[in-house]
Amino acid sequence: MEIRVLRYFLTVVREESITKAAEVLHITQPTLSRQLAQMEEEIGVRLFDRGTRKIRLTNEGLLLRRRAEEILQLVDKTEKELVEQEEQVEGKISIGCGEVASVQMLPDLIRNFHQKYPLVTFDLFTATADLVKEQMDKGLLDLGLLLEPIEMGKYEFIRLDMKERWVVLMPPDDPLARKKYVKADELAELPLILPRRMQVRSELASWFGNYYKNLNILFTSNLSTNSAVMVSRGLAYSLVIEGAVPFWDSSKIACRPLYPELMATCVLAWKREQPFSLAATKFIEYAKCFLSMCES
């Protein structure tokens, strides 16, 4: 399967028409149809439902579209990095992170690195830790800001000094908002929103102790911002890492820390034995020095 034909395939999917795709690609319609037919024959599956006015993908076609997008994104990134290796330090560094307080260390790190290498730009990708790691494993992200624990055999990392605190979100006029902190027994019978990740829920289960098995868990959520919307409308109380909460509108959302205090730590991680662009390699080297100075 050639990269060129994958680009043809995605163009057809985007245009929903072989005729329109051929015009965009500046090739003839018969040539494009022949290339797609050869690809289907090579793979051994049917990719398109033909006979309708618009191109429709089969289930196999939908899977190939998703994989083709990932493959071409990685190919484009690799080609760009190979060119950059032969030139001065420039390019784009991609960093994945969740809604954690440790994001606050990035501005100074990026600002100082950018002053040294002004041709380097950054892409900040916000998602859950599982998705960030998945993108790192595929080579689509250079680094990730992740909550511990982390697979030490798979990633290298710098442990960050900033602590991540667990809090419960509530409307500002809620009775719990009048307290300095919230204990497990005060949440035991309330409707709750818990994190989606099982590993994280296990930590909360330990904190709740015997109360956990009878909790009223209304639903789970993968990022705290969406769960905060539910909280603001009085649907439930959400347990989240404090992270970006201080930057939200306090007239709509209040938060109180858990007691006993539940804390976590973050790391800036990258995949072991991963070939990086010159810009990403320089950034990792710089981050090691910069963050060690910040913590000393």
Side-chain angles (χ1 to χ4, degrees):
M1 189 185 307
E2 298 181 30
I3 297 298
R4 171 178 53 84
V5 181
L6 284 179
R7 296 191 191 277
Y8 288 175
F9 168 74
L10 288 180
T11 303
V12 171
V13 173
R14 185 178 65 249
E15 298 298 328
E16 298 183 327
S17 163
I18 292 180
T19 301
K20 291 181 180 178
E23 293 174 358
V24 171
L25 294 166
H26 304 293
I27 59 176
T28 65
Q29 181 180 336
T31 298
L32 180 56
S33 296
R34 186 169 58 253
Q35 293 281 352
L36 295 175
Q38 289 174 352
M39 182 169 66
E40 286 181 313
E41 184 178 350
E42 178 186 345
I43 299 173
V45 297
R46 188 165 54 89
L47 300 173
F48 301 101
D49 281 327
R50 295 171 173 83
T52 58
R53 297 190 61 173
K54 289 185 178 181
I55 289 289
R56 292 285 184 266
L57 292 175
T58 62
N59 288 336
E60 293 81 4
L62 290 169
L63 174 60
L64 179 61
R65 180 183 66 180
R66 186 163 64 250
R67 293 290 183 255
E69 288 171 345
E70 292 175 352
I71 290 168
L72 293 179
Q73 185 180 355
L74 186 56
V75 167
D76 292 342
K77 185 173 187 287
T78 302
E79 289 176 348
K80 193 170 186 298
E81 289 171 353
L82 289 173
V83 172
E84 291 164 1
Q85 294 281 7
E86 300 301 321
E87 300 174 355
Q88 57 188 322
V89 181
E90 61 179 316
K92 182 178 291 184
I93 297 169
S94 52
I95 304 173
C97 61
E99 295 176 322
V100 291
S102 296
V103 172
Q104 296 176 59
M105 68 84 187
L106 286 179
D108 287 340
L109 173 58
I110 290 173
R111 181 186 298 110
N112 284 275
F113 184 83
H114 186 67
Q115 287 173 351
K116 188 172 183 179
Y117 302 106
L119 297 180
V120 175
T121 59
F122 293 83
D123 175 41
L124 194 62
F125 175 78
T126 303
T128 61
D130 288 338
L131 184 53
V132 169
K133 287 190 287 186
E134 178 185 317
Q135 296 286 296
M136 289 169 65
D137 292 345
K138 291 178 178 179
L140 300 175
L141 287 175
D142 297 314
L143 301 98
L145 198 59
L146 305 170
L147 281 174
E148 290 195 279
I150 188 171
E151 300 171 67
M152 298 182 69
K154 195 172 187 179
Y155 304 102
E156 294 186 68
F157 61 88
I158 307 165
R159 183 173 285 108
L160 304 178
D161 194 44
M162 183 174 288
K163 298 297 183 182
E164 306 289 342
R165 183 170 67 164
W166 281 94
V167 299
V168 57
L169 305 181
M170 65 207 69
D173 58 355
D174 191 272
L176 287 182
R178 295 196 291 268
K179 296 178 175 290
K180 290 185 177 180
Y181 49 78
V182 178
K183 295 184 288 186
D185 63 332
E186 295 171 312
L187 297 171
E189 297 183 2
L190 298 177
L192 300 178
I193 304 170
L194 295 189
R196 190 178 183 189
R197 291 182 65 205
M198 284 301 301
Q199 190 175 33
V200 174
R201 288 215 302 276
S202 296
E203 295 181 23
L204 288 172
S206 297
W207 182 82
F208 273 107
N210 292 332
Y211 293 107
Y212 186 78
K213 59 184 178 181
N214 295 318
L215 289 182
N216 178 12
I217 303 173
L218 185 58
F219 59 87
T220 59
S221 178
N222 63 346
L223 287 176
S224 57
T225 302
N226 284 339
S227 65
V229 174
M230 309 301 169
V231 172
S232 70
R233 301 297 293 272
L235 187 62
Y237 299 79
S238 181
L239 279 76
V240 300
I241 289 289
E242 188 170 17
V245 176
F247 300 98
W248 295 350
D249 187 346
S250 59
S251 68
K252 296 180 180 179
I253 288 290
C255 77
R256 294 296 179 267
L258 303 181
Y259 183 84
E261 194 173 54
L262 184 60
M263 305 293 284
T265 54
C266 265
V267 297
L268 182 63
W270 57 95
K271 194 175 178 184
R272 289 186 183 275
E273 300 178 2
Q274 171 83 18
F276 291 105
S277 67
L278 180 59
T281 301
K282 292 287 186 185
F283 183 77
I284 291 170
E285 293 172 355
Y286 189 85
K288 289 178 180 178
C289 296
F290 181 85
L291 293 174
S292 64
M293 287 189 295
C294 289
E295 295 174 7
S296 59

